[in-house]
Every structure is written in structure tokens, then in C-alpha cells.
Amino acid sequence: MFPVLELHQNQAVTDSPKEHTKKFDVQNSSGDDAPKKITRKFDHLVLGPAAGEGLPNRLQCRGVKALNKTHFSNPSHPSSVGDGIAFVTVFTIYNNSPDALADGKPSNLVTVGNASYSKPERSMAILNVFINFIQVRMPQSNVIILTDPESDFSLHQNRVTVLPIQGEYSRDKLMLQRIRSYITFLDIRLEKLSQEQGRITHFIFSDSDIAVIDDLGQIFEKYQDFHVALTFRNNKDQPLNSGFIAVRGTRDGILKARTFLQKVLEVYSSKYMKASRMLGDQLALFWVIKSDASFDAKRFSKAQAFIKEIGGASVLFLPCATYNWTPPEGAGQFHGMPLDVKVVHFKGSRKRLMLEAWNYFSSSADISDMLCLILKSGRTKYDF
């Protein structure tokens, strides 16, 4: 099993974590001390100081209890957007992996809460938690999983569709295939759109290691003139993250998005095949954007949404701090967690934290407290 999210894992080899004897560890350092760099990867929760302490419009925590509340819509009601929302992700399984038999050995099992997982099982657990968060925060939305026809897995969740799409899903080409699968999916939607009348469905293409924290339908209501939406951060070489791409579901939106992604695919194939295993798609995205002579990359330095015409498509740029927040960047350039955060992305060695966060939310039902747990673990790397 090898979901797209696995390709962004940190591959550095570290010392094996020692066996733990309590639910989680607390790093005893004051907010004034420079945080010590953690080089080992942990097999249990490790909590440190919460970044953003004392800053306005940032989540404030005492322990794992939120002192102020994040700004959420009510998940018990459908999005105010009259149109539908569907999340689209790519996920595949390698049934003939030479390591498949070894994955089930006790030495390869990891334990989160009361459950133990082999490597394939933990990937399925992450996919299920991805779906769980969507169904809790956006219960009226659907999830579409694009996969290799050779993959063999089952999901027992409502409003979830598995859609096989032919392609080259090898590990070295998976990120390239993801863009191809997105384009094929948009072609399928265009055909159906000509046959359907009435309600429009907008699409959010994402990695499966994200947690949807708030209703994302408001993007399509608040910003009504875009075709494609990307998320950005203040990073000179890689300001765009491909783990979140929104597409307006109108015919014009799908056509413009398809043309835009086709250009990204061409750039990827011609310029970044050496990075085909990972990061090539993000480099290609940025190349397409910065190739527009009128585009000013300095706009990425401010966490403010803006719209720019790129190659005939109206592209909405959304700040990662709100729409693609990550634990390490929350502990760094984001200076904590904004109160209006809508997506948490557990990229890199933080998949364990995603499962731990879901377990905590399931037992507490308080999403702000869960976010404190995530925020205080921002500097920690885990065993997966």
C-alpha cells in the first residue's frame, strides 16, 4: 500500500524511539528558551510549548485545553453554498510488494491508542481518518478516491466513491500520475456535466493526510470569480503546496482548470522528471505561475488571499496559514495557529499525529482542544 501522502515522508534514518510508559511526554522548556531540535522520531505523543502564545488571532492553550475558541461554522448545517462539494484524492496499493509479507511482523507494527497497525493498515487508517474529518465537518460533501485499477481495497463509509483510472502508478511516477488522474477525472466530469442539469459540484483535490477543520464551501461563495485555487506560503523556492487544489465545478471552471493542469503536467514532464518521486509537481506549479511576466512573487510574503489571471485561468491564491496549515510551519513562520484555520496538513513524519488527533477528538468532541494537541506537537517528528 502506498498512498500519495507517503511520498512526502522524511526519509532520514534516526535512532529507534525508546519504549514509552505514559500517554504522552511534555518537553519542559519555557517559551523564552530556544527550542531544542528534535532529531529522533517518536512512537508516542510528545508535547512542547504552543507557538503563538500571547499573539492576537492565534489559538491560546493551557495544556491541551483551548483558552480561546477557533472560528468555526456549525457542522450540523449544510454549507451555505447552494452547490455541492466533493473531495478528490489519489490512493493506490502495491499488492506484489516484496515487503508485503514482512509488514505484518510484530517488529513492523505500530500502536496508536488501542489499535496496532502494519504499514498497509496504517495507510488505510490515515485514509479513513481523512474521510472521518470530512464527514464530521462537512457532512453533506462527498469523497472520491482515484486509484489504480489493479489496487484491491475496500472502504465501508457513506458518500465515498472509489474510481479506478488507468495509468502508471509506480512509486517513481506516482506524483506525475496524480496530475494525469486529476486531468482524466476532469474530462469525466465534463462529459457528465453535459448530461446533467441543476446543482453544480465543486472539487477539492487534496492529499489524504489532511484534516478538514471547517467548512470549505465558503471558498466558492466568498471568491466567485476564480477557476482554480492554490495555497501558498512564504517560501522562496517552493511557495506552492500541491496538497490542496480547488476547482470550480462549472463547465468554464473545469475547462480552465484542465488546461492549467495540462500545462503543469507538460512542465513537470519536460523539466522536473528528476524530481518525479516527490516535489516535482510543486516545482512545476511554481514554474507555470512565475512564467507569467506580470506575476509578482513578493505577494507570497503576505498571508492574504488574492486572484491573478494565469494563462487564461483565474487563479485564487489562498494562504497556507489558514487553508493548508502544517505543524512544523505552525511552530515556525506561521507563528502559531490562526483562529480561522480550516485545513491541517500532517505532511512528513506526522501521520501518527493525525491518528492521535482523531482519537483525541473522538473522545473529547472538542475540536479546539484537539487543535491545541496538534499545535503543541508541532516541533515533534514521529515514527510515521
Side-chain angles (χ1 to χ4, degrees), residues 89-133:
T89 192
V90 170
F91 187 92
T92 191
I93 295 175
Y94 298 108
N95 294 316
N96 297 321
S97 169
D99 299 324
L101 295 178
D103 285 332
K105 293 181 179 179
S107 60
N108 292 320
L109 295 178
V110 297
T111 300
V112 182
N114 296 322
S116 294
Y117 305 101
S118 64
K119 189 172 182 179
E121 289 169 341
R122 80 180 73 154
S123 296
M124 282 301 300
I126 292 165
L127 180 63
N128 276 289
V129 168
F130 163 73
I131 296 169
N132 291 344
F133 273 114

Side-chain angles (χ1 to χ4, degrees), residues 50 52-55 58-71 337 339 360 366-373 375-376:
E53 183 176 354
L55 295 180
R58 289 296 186 269
L59 182 64
Q60 304 295 309
C61 307
R62 179 179 294 140
V64 292
K65 290 294 181 181
L67 300 179
N68 54 352
K69 296 297 181 180
T70 40
H71 304 154
M337 182 177 288
L339 293 175
Y360 184 87
D366 191 310
I367 200 156
S368 293
D369 288 352
M370 180 202 73
L371 292 175
C372 278
L373 179 79
L375 178 62
K376 291 174 74 70

Side-chain angles (χ1 to χ4, degrees), residues 81-307:
V81 179
D83 302 325
I85 305 293
F87 289 82
V88 184
T89 192
V90 170
F91 187 92
T92 191
I93 295 175
Y94 298 108
N95 294 316
N96 297 321
S97 169
D99 299 324
L101 295 178
D103 285 332
K105 293 181 179 179
S107 60
N108 292 320
L109 295 178
V110 297
T111 300
V112 182
N114 296 322
S116 294
Y117 305 101
S118 64
K119 189 172 182 179
E121 289 169 341
R122 80 180 73 154
S123 296
M124 282 301 300
I126 292 165
L127 180 63
N128 276 289
V129 168
F130 163 73
I131 296 169
N132 291 344
F133 273 114
I134 292 171
Q135 293 184 338
V136 168
R137 304 308 297 173
M138 297 180 63
Q140 303 301 313
S141 62
N142 297 307
V143 178
I144 301 168
I145 300 170
L146 310 182
T147 189
D148 181 357
E150 299 297 319
S151 294
D152 182 17
F153 65 92
S154 59
L155 289 165
H156 305 288
Q157 301 243 36
N158 294 327
R159 307 182 75 96
V160 176
T161 301
V162 177
L163 179 60
I165 291 181
Q166 291 287 347
E168 187 177 356
Y169 289 81
S170 64
R171 289 176 174 85
D172 289 342
K173 301 292 178 60
L174 187 55
M175 301 309 294
L176 190 67
Q177 178 58 44
R178 180 167 72 166
I179 300 177
R180 289 176 175 147
S181 294
Y182 287 174
I183 293 171
T184 300
F185 174 78
L186 291 176
D187 287 339
I188 293 172
R189 286 303 306 169
L190 276 174
E191 291 182 13
K192 290 187 176 181
L193 205 59
S194 62
Q195 303 168 5
E196 297 174 352
Q197 299 291 331
R199 197 179 191 210
I200 296 295
T201 298
H202 305 300
F203 301 101
I204 297 174
F205 297 86
S206 77
D207 289 348
S208 55
D209 58 348
I210 71 165
V212 175
I213 304 302
D214 198 12
D215 186 357
L216 295 172
Q218 55 81 34
I219 296 174
F220 300 94
E221 180 180 291
K222 184 177 181 180
Y223 307 100
Q224 298 196 7
D225 297 326
F226 78 91
H227 301 119
V228 183
L230 305 174
T231 57
F232 72 91
R233 61 207 164 176
N234 187 17
N235 183 308
K236 181 180 179 181
D237 298 319
Q238 296 176 37
L240 302 174
N241 184 276
S242 59
F244 183 102
I245 301 174
V247 173
R248 187 171 296 280
T250 61
R251 183 173 183 81
D252 189 46
I254 292 176
L255 281 170
K256 294 294 178 61
R258 189 201 183 286
T259 300
F260 177 82
L261 289 177
Q262 183 64 43
K263 180 62 177 177
V264 173
L265 179 62
E266 292 170 1
V267 171
Y268 194 161
S269 301
S270 62
K271 296 181 179 296
Y272 297 110
M273 285 305 293
K274 289 184 178 180
S276 62
R277 187 177 178 90
M278 59 184 297
L279 301 180
D281 55 342
Q282 296 181 165
L283 295 171
L285 267 176
F286 186 34
W287 193 94
V288 171
I289 298 300
K290 70 181 181 180
S291 294
D292 186 287
S294 64
F295 186 80
D296 183 5
K298 293 180 180 179
R299 300 195 72 171
F300 291 147
S301 64
K302 294 183 179 180
Q304 298 176 350
F306 63 96
I307 295 179

